[in-house]
Structures are given as C-alpha cells and as structure tokens.
Amino acid sequence: MPPESPERPSEARLIGLAARAVRRARGMTAQQVADAMGLPLRTYEYFEAGQGRVNLEYIHRFATATNCDPYALVLGPGLGSTEFARRTADTKMILIFLIALGEFETRMGDRMITLDPRALIEAFTEAFRKVETDARARAEETESWLDAGRDRLAGKPPEDGE
C-alpha cells in the first residue's frame, strides 16, 4: 500500500500563507497590518495562520491595508499557488478581470447562456498569451535600453545599428 499523502492545507491556511507573502513583499510587520485592518495583533495572527474559517471581510480589509488584490488572495488556492496574490498584488489582475467580466455580463445578459465553452477557452488562452508575449517584449526592450545606456555612461562606442 502506498504511503498516505499529507493532508492538503485548508483554504483558510492557504489564504493566510498568501497574505503573509503579500505582507512580507510590502515590507510590513504583522502589527502594522493588524493596525491598518483595525484588528488586535492576535486576531490578525490567527487570520494569517489560517485558523478558523475564511473571513471575506478580513480579506478585503487586508487588501485595503496592503493595497493588494483581494480576489487574488481568494483564487490563489484554487490555482494551487499561494504566491499568486503576491505576484499580482500590484497589477490587480483578478480585480481587473472581474470588473471586465462584470461589464461583459451586463452587456450580454441572458445571451451568456449561449456562449460556446470552446470559444471562451480560445479567447482567454489567446488573451493571456498576448499579455505574456507583450510582457516579454517590454522586458527585452527595457534590458536593451539599459544596456545601451550603461555603455554610453561608460564611454563605450555604440555598436552598428544603435
């Protein structure tokens, strides 16, 4: 018989781990976040430790206190990533997605029932690939610009085509 796999942490625990990652990325102490949330430190520590049930009010207060995306905290465990919230804290990726989705739902109304799942898969996949491609191109352009600037500051002559 194979050994039993360790039990998966609760959603509250995974959200707490995500919150800790965001807090640390923000350079904030637990006390600073607790104060900003209007909570006693011990209550905040329980939230971050994932003790008890998922508390949506605390998630939203945490997001306000740390200027992050509350929906990324909630969705990260479903994606299997406690780092998702930290990675999207500044971009507000899921918040943006939900706002756009809400606008789409308003325009479509009951016509949403007729949407083809294959078309949705294709559209979302294409959109995320485009975002990824654009991000890579911007990163390469940024690196190229920085390299050229460093060379100029160091007195290195430009290469042909620069």
Side-chain angles (χ1 to χ4, degrees), residues 90-136:
D90 292 329
T91 64
K92 312 294 190 288
M93 181 182 207
I94 299 303
L95 177 61
I96 291 166
F97 180 80
L98 288 175
I99 291 168
L101 183 60
E103 291 171 353
F104 176 74
E105 190 273 336
T106 298
R107 290 189 308 273
M108 289 292 292
D110 282 343
R111 290 179 297 148
M112 288 184 70
I113 296 167
T114 65
L115 294 174
D116 178 2
R118 293 170 299 186
L120 295 173
I121 291 167
E122 184 179 307
F124 292 137
T125 301
E126 182 180 323
F128 287 123
R129 283 188 181 138
K130 182 182 182 324
V131 169
E132 180 183 2
T133 300
D134 291 350
R136 284 191 175 138

Side-chain angles (χ1 to χ4, degrees), residues 1 5 7 11 18 27 40 42 54-55 59 63 84 121 130 146 158 160:
M1 234 169 128
S5 62
E7 193 173 309
E11 286 216 349
R42 181 51 106 198
V54 173
N55 185 321
I59 290 170
F84 182 75
I121 291 167
K130 182 182 182 324
L146 287 170
D160 291 339

Side-chain angles (χ1 to χ4, degrees), residues 19-28 83 86-87 89-90:
R20 179 177 297 145
V22 170
R23 175 179 62 77
R24 288 178 174 168
R26 294 291 195 239
M28 298 175 77
E83 291 295 309
R86 179 189 57 78
R87 292 177 180 139
D90 292 329

